[in-house]
Amino acid sequence: MKGLLQRVRGARVEVAGEIVGAVDQGLLVLVAVEPGDTREHADKLLHKLLNYRVFSDEQGKMNLSLKDVAGGLLLVSQFTLAADTRSGMRPSFSTAASPALGAELFDYLLQQAKGQHADVASGRFGADMQVHLVNDGPVTFMLQI
């Protein structure tokens, strides 16, 4: 399971012109599910997202987590992160989970996040989404579980 974490000042997801998820300061995380991923992987990714220290403390050092700053968490499914890009000029998606597994684990991750954190929003699995964000820093990390 992969999560592309971006520290944001604000982010939103639109589907057909309607805002379906939005957060102010916090994290936008693009999530990819790969074959073999399980709920345990989702749990580990969520733990890392909530506790990864990417926000600045009083000294300007990245010592604070999403929990520490009570920021928002916007989760967006993105199967293209699982693409195999090692050869050729076109990505292969053989390394991405099936849509059924992807939907199941993304929904599980979202429900677990809502149970553990106050400010959680999401995109819509499988939809054509437009993602708007103001990356703060910019700060971006690829997490792979």
Side-chain angles (χ1 to χ4, degrees):
M1 188 168 258
K2 292 180 181 177
L4 183 67
L5 173 156
Q6 298 174 82
R7 186 178 73 185
V8 298
R9 292 192 180 187
R12 73 181 189 277
V13 178
E14 296 178 5
V15 175
E18 171 194 353
I19 296 174
V20 297
V23 297
D24 292 322
Q25 177 196 22
L27 299 176
L28 164 65
V29 183
L30 304 175
V31 178
V33 179
E34 298 173 298
D37 283 343
T38 64
R39 288 181 173 202
E40 182 179 321
H41 292 105
D43 290 337
K44 287 180 181 179
L45 178 61
L46 179 59
H47 178 76
K48 201 153 198 174
L49 294 175
L50 296 177
N51 295 288
Y52 210 59
R53 297 181 300 168
V54 297
F55 294 92
S56 298
D57 63 14
E58 305 80 36
Q59 287 79 38
K61 295 189 184 215
M62 282 196 242
N63 278 328
L64 302 175
S65 70
L66 186 67
K67 282 183 170 183
D68 295 330
V69 300
L73 176 62
L74 178 57
L75 298 172
V76 177
S77 62
Q78 179 138 14
F79 83 98
T80 59
L81 281 179
D84 181 355
T85 59
R86 292 176 289 182
S87 65
M89 299 308 290
R90 182 176 177 198
S92 168
F93 297 106
S94 62
T95 52
S98 69
L101 178 61
E104 174 191 333
L105 289 180
F106 182 79
D107 185 59
Y108 174 80
L109 176 68
L110 178 60
Q111 295 314 311
Q112 292 300 110
K114 287 180 176 181
Q116 296 179 40
H117 194 69
D119 187 4
V120 177
S122 74
R124 189 173 296 154
F125 187 89
D128 180 15
M129 297 177 276
Q130 286 67 55
V131 180
H132 305 263
L133 71 137
V134 177
N135 193 317
D136 183 14
V139 172
T140 303
F141 295 98
M142 174 62 80
L143 305 177
Q144 188 158 4
I145 306 298

